Amino acid sequence: MKRQWTVLFFLLCSLTVLAGCGTPKEPANAMLGTQERPLIVGVTAGPQAQILEQVKTVAARDGFVIKVAEFTDFVTPNQALANGEIDANAYQHQPYLNHFNKNNGDKLVSIGKTVLLPMALDALPDGTKVAIPNDPTNGGRALLLLQSAGLIQLGTNDITVTVADVKENPRHFEFLEVEAAQVPRSLNDVDAAVINTNYALEAGLSPVADARFVETKESPYACVLAVQKDAKTDTAYAKLLSYYQSEPVRDFIHKEFKGALVPAF
């Protein structure tokens, strides 16, 4: 008999660190009010890169040139932005951006929302063995979702909450902490799993079809377009955001991802 799993789709913008990166070599300028060169925007490979390619196409109709810089990890895009190697990035949610700034002393800011990779939750019976990502932000968000669904009670609402902060566990869940990329492979060993969007999609799992509770676009975990603080008021970034938040891009997100990712604008 085929085993049945309950899957919690942990659909984050970013967080798990993978090997390798695609740091662009072309240096970026701080201010781009008049576009003297392409605007370099960093994204993670996969859905975020697909969306930015659509933004690039929309912008090109007005002669606004965007260069897409893909990264295969989730730390380097912020480091590249802080170092001026890229002009903006679009891959992370606000809590993660805040966490990065706090830990690194950087001053990166959001200029607007992009997409939400909503976390989805199915019903969980008593005694469920639940696999969650083992890094602070991924694991913390998983636990916060369980709390918001009334399934557990935590001692703190900080995004870096851990299993040790679970104060009430009336359904006697057993948590298995796994490296985020390996969570889909843990399904044979657990009854439920919290999985990042890209890994869920790669594993052939559908958050839309299998979930009963899904975050809305008002979620604090919506992804943002980030720039250096001193460049926040530059008109080039306002243009970039307007192209990202355009109707053609919104339509592409709906058509391509069918609810796995949703516009947050």
Side-chain angles (χ1 to χ4, degrees), residues 9-13 47 117-118 195-202 260-261:
F9 294 93
F10 189 26
L11 310 180
L12 280 181
C13 303
L117 290 75
I195 308 174
N196 289 59
T197 298
N198 52 323
Y199 304 132
L201 296 177
E202 288 174 5
L261 286 76

Side-chain angles (χ1 to χ4, degrees), residues 138-157:
N138 277 335
R141 186 179 177 189
L143 294 169
L144 289 168
L145 177 67
L146 291 168
Q147 176 175 254
S148 70
L151 299 174
I152 62 172
Q153 184 63 47
L154 301 168
T156 175
N157 291 324

